[in-house]
Amino acid sequence: MKGSLWLAWRQQRVPAGIGAAALVVTAAIAAYYRSGMLDALHSGLFDHCATGPLYCTRSDTGLPLLLDVEPLKYLGALNIALPVAIGVFWGAPLLGRDRELGTHRVVLAQGVSRSQWFASRFALAAAITTALSGLLAGVFAWWWRPAADRSYGLFWYDITALSGSGPRVVAAALFGLAAGTLLGLLTRRVLEAMGLTLLVTGVTTLLLEWTHRTRLLVPPHTYVSAGTTPKPPMGEKWSTGDYGLITASGRHDDVMNCPFPSGSQLKECMTAHGYVARFYEASPTGDYWTFQWTDTAVFGGLAVLLTVVTMLLLRRRV
């Protein structure tokens, strides 16, 4: 390691060390709590619990049986906030500090091209960010697996699981790095760049979470049943809360037009109103990966776009 890459490492070893230390601490905490989770599952207390969203209860008290998944949720929240943290504390100073202090001129005067100056810093930061975010997402998945999609654990559509695991975490972290780097180049003031990065990455993350709730990018599936017999259990599907009745022409009406459980009353009401079936909308378990790859494409595309814009601006602003 020498030249501009050596200098890039010298400037980034502190955040890299902090990230490595945070990863080690997180892995140790995950190992401790996952061990307790496995002990609880192996105790036999949960053996009678069926899959699905309905709570499993204790036979003696009737109280819900739940695993301690709160620490796991904290890790998911950390992974969701990762692009903000990396963008603010790593991306914004990456070029912005040299620009603010004017030290980039000294580096360029030594025969280092603008492309080398940028590439060495950004490539190193991107490599460490990829490794760090990927390992954090892996720790979450390893910890989550024994309790995944169980009423006593954590379902795939919980915000901390859906957005705090998988390749989405890596793409989001790279987006945060790219956004902070571009804003650091544009503003020339690190503190100002950090504030703008906080705003941009925070708003983008919240917008993507909003698309999850509204199913804007990943439409739900529509499930239809006869209505005169009990419908199959929803299981691990993520309901939109949209239920209703279907006429012979295919029109969807509100479920309260016939607010009866399956049976003779519901059958009579449906016949009187001309309903032939009932429906509900939900996202099946397999849509976890659809959400994951959609988010990865969005964050990854933004990261690539912002990186290209940064490279183009370097020709004029340095």
Side-chain angles (χ1 to χ4, degrees), residues 116-137:
Q116 287 178 311
W117 176 65
F118 168 72
S120 59
R121 280 159 178 72
F122 190 79
L124 180 61
I128 298 174
T129 295
T130 300
L132 176 63
S133 58
L135 288 170
L136 285 173

Side-chain angles (χ1 to χ4, degrees), residues 29-97:
I29 293 174
Y32 174 78
Y33 280 101
R34 186 178 188 273
S35 177
M37 179 187 294
L38 291 177
D39 288 343
L41 290 173
H42 293 158
S43 68
L45 193 61
F46 295 86
D47 289 352
H48 68 287
C49 297
T51 59
L54 296 179
Y55 280 115
C56 182
T57 59
R58 295 179 64 100
S59 58
D60 52 350
T61 63
L63 295 175
L65 275 172
L66 299 171
L67 290 171
D68 183 11
V69 295
E70 286 305 312
L72 174 61
K73 290 185 177 183
Y74 291 144
L75 175 56
L78 170 66
N79 288 346
I80 294 172
L82 200 59
V84 179
I86 288 178
V88 170
F89 298 107
W90 201 327
L94 191 64
L95 303 182
R97 193 173 304 283

Side-chain angles (χ1 to χ4, degrees), residues 244-285:
L245 299 155
I246 305 175
T247 64
S249 63
R251 188 181 75 246
H252 287 193
D253 287 348
D254 191 271
V255 70
M256 295 308 294
N257 288 352
C258 287
F260 304 104
S262 300
S264 58
Q265 285 183 303
L266 177 62
K267 184 177 181 179
E268 291 173 5
C269 181
M270 290 180 65
T271 302
H273 290 81
Y275 296 125
V276 296
R278 59 183 176 181
F279 75 94
Y280 70 88
E281 293 184 349
S283 300
T285 309

Side-chain angles (χ1 to χ4, degrees), residues 198-279:
L198 174 64
L199 177 64
V200 170
T201 54
V203 168
T204 303
T205 301
L206 290 175
L207 280 175
L208 212 50
E209 292 301 328
W210 173 77
T211 67
H212 290 173
R213 299 298 157 184
T214 59
R215 310 299 208 280
L216 182 64
L217 300 180
V218 183
H221 296 228
T222 300
Y223 296 87
V224 178
S225 62
T228 55
T229 57
K231 63 183 179 182
M234 185 172 295
E236 300 164 7
K237 301 184 186 75
W238 182 19
S239 174
T240 63
D242 189 5
Y243 300 83
L245 299 155
I246 305 175
T247 64
S249 63
R251 188 181 75 246
H252 287 193
D253 287 348
D254 191 271
V255 70
M256 295 308 294
N257 288 352
C258 287
F260 304 104
S262 300
S264 58
Q265 285 183 303
L266 177 62
K267 184 177 181 179
E268 291 173 5
C269 181
M270 290 180 65
T271 302
H273 290 81
Y275 296 125
V276 296
R278 59 183 176 181
F279 75 94

